[in-house]
Amino acid sequence: MKFLVIPILSLCIYRYYKTRSKVIFFTLLFSLLVTWFWGFDFAYRWDAVQHVVRSKYYLTHSYFGSTEERHSFLYLIWGGFYRLFGESETLTHLINMSLGICGIFGIYAISRELYDDFTAFIALLVSLTFPAFFLVNKWAYLDMPFTSFVIITFFFLFKYLNTGSDRFFYSSLIFAFISYGTKDPGLVLFPAILACLFIYHRVDRKALISIGFMLLISVLYYFKVMYYSAIMAEFSVITPLTFGGDTVAIWAGFLRHEIAQYIYTGIFFLSVFAFLKTEKKSEMFLYALLLIQILLLIISENYPSKLIFSFPLFPWGNYVPYYILLGLSVMCLLVSISLRQTEISIDKRGVAMLIWAASLTAFFIINGRVIDYGLKPLLDVSVLDFRYLMPAMPALIILFSSGISKIVGSKVYSEKSKHIVLLVLALTLIFNFIIATNSTFYYANSGNLRAEGYKELQEQSPEVVYTHWPFYYGSGYDIGKFAWVKDNITVKDIHSNYFNSTEDRTFLLFDTYCYTPDRLVDFNSKKIEAKTYLLSPLSTATTEETVNSVYILKPERGSIVLRDGFYTVEYWDNKPTRWMGNSSTLYIYSDKNMNTTLSMKAESFYCQRTLEVYVNGNVNPVSTNMIPTSFVTVESAVNLEKGMNLIKLATVEGSNKPCDLADSNPEDTRDLSVAIQDIRLN
């Protein structure tokens, strides 16, 4: 079907270019809007429910108090509608969809303001099929409304630059503040606005005072509200003052992610024509870029993200093919310029678009998430979520659309070349639309899996469902009282302190996060798998993939969760055996308060060691045992509380690496102390 749709779509685009047909415009717009608003039961999928929880929390708590919870103006918008109509998934979906579509039409309006109708038409098609916009806007997330507020900010700015009307300038500053109040990257909009004014020679005393005043308001808002938010602790300000000589390498790591994501969108290469003069002799360069564009689509299908569940919509860990294409495109451009076949032509509009994209790109280079700093190579410590660059993407979409419009509107290119360009455009649009729908179903089916888990758990009438999502619970309140409730089940987080409470409970665990099945011992469990069908964007193939799995687990007396410090299970004479390092911890479940005996078999590595057993954080061990280099039974008298009890095993002498010992495996670099088998309560 898609191979029929692609040429039809390219012909429709060409026909609209020739006639500005309203029938074509509204037919395509209506079709894409149906798919845009579709998915009313997707809003609370993935981890989006955390934002709904916060929005409901601020209905009864002061937004301007010094709470450690996250803040966003979007929570106030949702909360206002919840007060009027009550909280529901459909209402949340409609609010986000409406805000998102305002951003899409904002892209259309900016394109018309700066360029022409045909550029705006292409930008509208690209935006409505753009995978990140399409996917994220179906969730109750902050990102698409934030992107819309950024777009509206620049729309009013460009209206001011074109008309000189002060009301547009002040509107731009107001929406810049709203953007910042929605997500903190909005702070870069103020210097971006100033830079655009400078490019257009519109910097004056009034502009400086106005921008300075709104920036001051934003700083005061930060110290009044956002300064206390624990979400800020996830990010580091990366400058030479904080990271010294490592700063440049860390910046390069972030930039590597960001450029790869821009390339992966499919609209990066052809956007260069927004900065080129269209000349007959540059037609070879055009065909070279069209070939690179087709190669990009092929590579995008075959080399997606290596961690698609956690890092979708950009090629995490598969960057080399994309940078090869980038190198080829740069080489073709330089050769074409050196042969005087291509000439660069940069205007104020293009520079303003670059300022828009570069300001938000730079924000996540200087203020980014750094993980395992000091443990990994510097280029690998940076982490980039695919949603971070969403507010920068509209500028790239407009440049891409301008480039396509310039090619098609040129009088020097042949009609054949124009048809080929529009055919490649249609191919890119359909490719992106399939990626968007694949991703949407991928995560929707993952969400369906949670719903199946709820159904299973309802049969057991549990009090609490624990999920893997790390909502931050501030110390000043019990978020559980305001938690989202689905089918009369309260959702709490397995990482919270509630894990140590004494109430009976049932766990809903995902095998991608928290504790993998090999760390669960003696649980009564049932596994449910989520599957989804994925359509190949470039072929007729359809594949079925497992998204993730849910384990419905009912703890019984003696059920164990291996927390940390244990290595992968090994089987010795068909018995599961786990080596530990210097120390290890586990949770063991008791159905009542009781005095009992904790039993296990233990064997020391290389030499005899002293093994100490601690219970529930007590500083004194409940037993001290000498462990030889062959298995012995270790028994410890323990006083257990009802619920999960924390057990710590520690060796006094520490551990050894086999690779450091002459008669051991030279390739084994693990720190080994004691091997454990058959942990149980007597």
Side-chain angles (χ1 to χ4, degrees), residues 56 122 146 170 206 295 365 367 644:
K56 293 174 70 176
I122 296 173
F146 169 60
Y170 296 134
K206 176 198 69 179
L295 290 175
I365 293 176
N367 186 71
M644 283 294 180

Side-chain angles (χ1 to χ4, degrees), residues 171-331:
S171 297
S172 176
L173 292 178
I174 291 171
F175 272 96
F177 175 68
I178 293 173
S179 300
Y180 174 61
T182 304
K183 287 195 75 175
D184 54 284
L187 187 64
V188 302
L189 295 179
F190 296 106
I193 289 172
L194 182 60
C196 290
L197 293 178
F198 177 79
I199 293 299
Y200 278 78
H201 306 292
R202 301 293 288 272
V203 177
D204 54 25
R205 186 169 178 269
K206 176 198 69 179
L208 291 175
I209 292 175
S210 300
I211 294 174
F213 176 75
M214 290 304 296
L215 187 57
L216 176 62
I217 295 295
S218 300
V219 171
L220 293 175
Y221 172 80
Y222 169 81
F223 283 106
K224 177 63 178 176
V225 175
M226 301 182 71
Y227 175 78
Y228 301 97
S229 177
I231 192 69
M232 305 299 290
E234 296 182 10
F235 294 85
S236 302
V237 178
I238 305 161
T239 67
L241 295 177
T242 52
F243 286 87
D246 296 338
T247 302
V248 174
I250 298 174
W251 284 350
F254 279 105
L255 191 60
R256 178 185 60 167
H257 296 318
E258 292 173 328
I259 293 175
Q261 183 170 355
Y262 284 132
I263 296 173
Y264 189 77
T265 62
I267 59 174
F268 182 80
F269 293 122
L270 292 176
S271 61
V272 72
F273 275 91
F275 304 101
L276 301 179
K277 285 186 177 180
T278 54
E279 300 177 358
K280 180 65 177 177
K281 53 187 178 181
S282 67
E283 200 161 21
M284 288 302 298
F285 175 65
L286 170 63
Y287 281 112
L289 277 194
L290 291 176
L291 177 59
I292 290 174
Q293 178 72 11
I294 294 172
L295 290 175
L296 171 65
L297 300 181
I298 296 172
I299 288 173
S300 297
E301 179 173 12
N302 291 282
Y303 296 95
S305 172
K306 288 185 177 180
L307 295 174
I308 194 169
F309 190 80
S310 303
F311 299 100
L313 302 184
F314 77 105
W316 180 274
N318 263 334
Y319 295 150
V320 174
Y322 298 89
Y323 277 95
I324 290 175
L325 291 183
L326 177 61
L328 288 174
S329 64
V330 171
M331 182 182 67

Side-chain angles (χ1 to χ4, degrees), residues 335-547:
V335 169
S336 185
I337 292 174
S338 65
L339 296 176
R340 301 184 183 278
Q341 295 178 348
T342 300
E343 184 178 346
I344 295 177
S345 176
I346 300 178
D347 57 21
K348 295 177 182 178
R349 301 170 300 180
V351 174
M353 292 297 109
L354 292 179
I355 290 172
W356 179 349
S359 60
L360 288 153
T361 301
F363 179 87
F364 287 107
I365 293 176
I366 298 173
N367 186 71
R369 292 177 61 195
V370 175
I371 295 181
D372 292 335
Y373 175 68
L375 302 176
K376 290 182 178 179
L378 293 175
L379 284 175
D380 297 330
V381 299
S382 56
V383 175
L384 184 77
D385 192 292
F386 78 98
R387 296 169 291 130
Y388 292 168
L389 294 183
M390 282 177 56
M393 294 300 180
L396 185 61
I397 290 173
I398 294 170
L399 289 175
F400 172 81
S401 304
S402 170
I404 296 293
S405 177
K406 183 181 289 188
I407 294 169
V408 176
S410 172
K411 297 180 179 180
V412 299
Y413 293 136
S414 66
E415 290 297 304
K416 176 183 175 182
S417 296
K418 295 178 182 179
H419 281 296
I420 293 174
V421 168
L422 293 181
L423 192 63
V424 172
L425 169 64
L427 175 62
T428 303
L429 292 174
I430 297 301
F431 183 97
N432 277 349
F433 182 74
I434 292 173
I435 292 295
T437 53
N438 280 347
S439 300
T440 300
F441 279 111
Y442 187 93
Y443 292 106
N445 288 332
S446 175
N448 285 337
L449 193 64
R450 183 179 296 182
E452 291 185 41
Y454 289 143
K455 184 177 180 181
E456 285 285 330
L457 293 168
Q458 243 187 332
E459 296 177 1
Q460 304 174 25
S461 300
E463 297 179 8
V464 179
V465 175
Y466 284 82
T467 75
H468 62 277
W469 294 112
F471 309 153
Y472 184 80
Y473 297 154
S475 57
Y477 61 92
D478 177 6
I479 192 68
K481 295 178 182 177
F482 307 96
W484 177 61
V485 176
K486 176 86 170 172
D487 300 329
N488 298 319
I489 298 174
T490 301
V491 180
K492 293 182 180 177
D493 169 37
I494 198 169
H495 292 298
S496 74
N497 292 329
Y498 295 102
F499 188 82
N500 295 323
S501 62
T502 58
E503 64 204 46
D504 290 325
R505 65 180 69 91
T506 303
F507 301 117
L508 175 61
L509 298 179
F510 285 66
D511 64 359
T512 314
Y513 289 87
C514 287
Y515 303 104
T516 53
D518 65 297
R519 292 181 175 270
L520 305 173
V521 183
D522 294 332
F523 275 84
N524 181 10
S525 64
K526 178 179 180 179
K527 179 180 180 181
I528 307 175
E529 289 187 334
K531 296 182 180 294
T532 189
Y533 287 98
L534 301 177
L535 177 64
S536 169
L538 296 178
S539 70
T540 58
T542 302
T543 59
E544 184 183 37
E545 292 190 12
T546 299
V547 179

Side-chain angles (χ1 to χ4, degrees), residues 56-80:
K56 293 174 70 176
Y57 170 76
Y58 289 125
L59 288 176
T60 53
H61 292 71
S62 172
Y63 181 82
F64 295 99
S66 58
T67 174
E68 295 169 307
E69 254 308 341
R70 188 172 185 175
H71 294 75
S72 174
F73 287 164
L74 188 62
Y75 298 153
L76 302 181
I77 295 173
W78 287 348

Side-chain angles (χ1 to χ4, degrees), residues 519 562-567 579-585 671 673:
R519 292 181 175 270
L562 302 175
R563 185 185 179 190
D564 54 33
F566 290 99
Y567 288 101
W579 283 108
M580 55 176 275
N582 293 332
S583 64
S584 61
T585 55
D671 286 299
S673 62

